[in-house]
Amino acid sequence: MWRRVASLSSSISSSFLAQTASRLNTWESLTTGIAQQAKGVIAPKEKTPFITFVLGGPGSGKGTQCIKIVETFGFAHLSAGDLLRREIASKSADGAMILNTIKEGKIVPSQVTVKLIQKEMELSDNHKFLIDGFPRTEENRVSFERIIGVEPNVVLFFDCPEEEMVKRVLNRNEGRVDDNLETIKKRLTVFQALSLPVINYYSEKGKLYTIKAIGTEDEIFEQVRPIFAAFEQTVG
Ligand SMILES: Nc1ncnc2c1ncn2[C@@H]1O[C@H](COP(=O)(O)OP(=O)(O)O)[C@@H](O)[C@H]1O
Ligand SMILES: Nc1ccn([C@@H]2O[C@H](COP(=O)(O)OP(=O)(O)O)[C@@H](O)[C@H]2O)c(=O)n1
Ligand SMILES: [Mg+2]
């Protein structure tokens, strides 16, 4: 499993390795095997995790493009929204709070969302993760870094005009409690106020890949494909 065998010897960039090594203490809580591996107890043949954050407003096409990335490049797809909806469906202790937050178009406390993502990452056999719809706030971003102990390798931003996003969401037809005009307006305000600063942060760090999210699904994927193709050799 990925959490037990994240490698210190993969051919991924040296800056990423340095970052991973410097965060060993935090990382260890998630990846107990690293310390053993560093001591040579386990043969270092497994792969370093590769994390992509998939950002964009509601209806910008994140989920649709994630399916194509999974099919083409073999990533594991973790949708923050899907994980939260699963919590609601399972009637967990946080379910009612999550439902109310989603109905209001607000953001669920980071601790809750990061724990769900962490659990999925730990259970996955994959080392390549698409984390869809996260981080949506600076609080989300900092919380992920603190709890998981790593930064993303790539951040995708699906840049879509508001008018198009509203049209798509209203036609989505998945029975979601937040796919109505009133909630969409709130979500767009939250996106502008809280999510755009996160996108700007990654732009400044040189990690952001902006996709013009209008056109057919296939046309948009042709902008996405070369980004992952360029990383394929190093990531595996
Ligand atoms: N390029 C596109 N053109 C038109 N509709 C699209 C396109 N991409 C996705 N959609 C549709 O728009 C809706 C929102 O897409 P989705 O992938 O769920 O977006 P997000 O996850 O960003 O909210 C879905 O009904 C989807 O089928
Ligand atoms: N990081 C996240 C992701 C989603 N959410 C909540 O879940 C809702 C739906 O998220 P989603 O990613 O499924 O929505 P789309 O952008 O795919 O339409 C958001 O509007 C938030 O209320 C959250 O609180 N924190
Ligand atoms: Mg989605």
Side-chain angles (χ1 to χ4, degrees):
M1 236 177 276
W2 163 75
R3 74 188 166 103
R4 282 188 277 114
V5 290
S7 170
L8 293 174
S9 66
S10 133
S11 56
I12 205 118
S13 78
S14 56
S15 66
F16 182 71
L17 281 180
Q19 175 200 329
T20 305
S22 73
R23 291 170 180 271
L24 198 54
N25 285 343
T26 321
W27 189 237
E28 228 176 283
S29 67
L30 187 75
T31 58
T32 48
I34 282 186
Q36 285 174 298
Q37 204 176 295
K39 290 180 206 148
V41 177
I42 300 170
K45 59 183 175 221
E46 298 291 339
K47 293 168 177 167
T48 304
F50 185 91
I51 294 173
T52 300
F53 286 157
V54 183
L55 307 180
S60 58
K62 301 180 294 299
T64 303
Q65 294 297 320
C66 280
I67 291 169
K68 290 177 177 291
I69 299 166
V70 167
E71 283 169 2
T72 312
F73 295 103
F75 277 67
H77 177 202
L78 310 188
S79 158
D82 285 351
L83 293 175
L84 292 168
R85 285 184 284 274
R86 200 169 76 189
E87 281 298 287
I88 298 170
S90 74
K91 302 199 174 352
S92 77
D94 289 323
M97 177 276 290
I98 296 172
L99 177 61
N100 284 331
T101 309
I102 289 180
K103 271 186 189 161
E104 285 299 312
K106 293 183 179 160
I107 305 299
V108 172
S110 298
Q111 199 195 348
V112 172
T113 314
V114 174
K115 274 202 183 135
L116 295 173
I117 293 171
Q118 182 183 33
K119 206 163 83 188
E120 291 301 302
M121 291 176 78
E122 287 180 356
L123 287 172
S124 179
D125 284 331
N126 208 328
H127 71 293
K128 301 189 285 188
F129 297 101
L130 287 176
I131 305 188
D132 166 8
F134 182 98
R136 270 186 153 93
T137 62
E138 282 289 295
E139 192 216 358
N140 267 183
R141 178 182 72 71
V142 171
S143 180
F144 184 91
E145 280 179 22
R146 185 170 45 79
I147 295 173
I148 310 291
V150 284
E151 291 185 15
N153 302 80
V154 167
V155 180
L156 296 185
F157 168 39
F158 289 94
D159 189 11
C160 193
E162 283 199 1
E163 202 183 81
E164 176 70 16
M165 291 196 277
V166 171
K167 202 167 78 186
R168 289 185 193 172
V169 167
L170 291 178
N171 287 326
R172 181 151 49 188
N173 222 5
E174 290 178 3
R176 282 175 47 170
V177 292
D178 52 348
D179 282 355
N180 57 76
L181 194 55
E182 194 189 340
T183 310
I184 292 160
K185 283 182 183 160
K186 291 178 184 167
R187 297 180 64 199
L188 288 172
T189 305
V190 166
F191 177 71
Q192 291 281 340
L194 302 181
S195 305
L196 276 181
V198 178
I199 289 162
N200 290 334
Y201 171 87
Y202 287 121
S203 174
E204 279 164 23
K205 288 206 119 191
K207 291 189 172 180
L208 193 74
Y209 295 81
T210 300
I211 310 293
K212 289 195 184 74
I214 30 177
T216 66
E217 292 174 14
D218 287 344
E219 282 167 352
I220 294 165
F221 188 63
E222 289 315 314
Q223 296 178 62
V224 172
R225 186 197 297 276
I227 298 166
F228 291 98
F231 281 100
E232 224 179 4
Q233 292 263 313
T234 47
V235 177

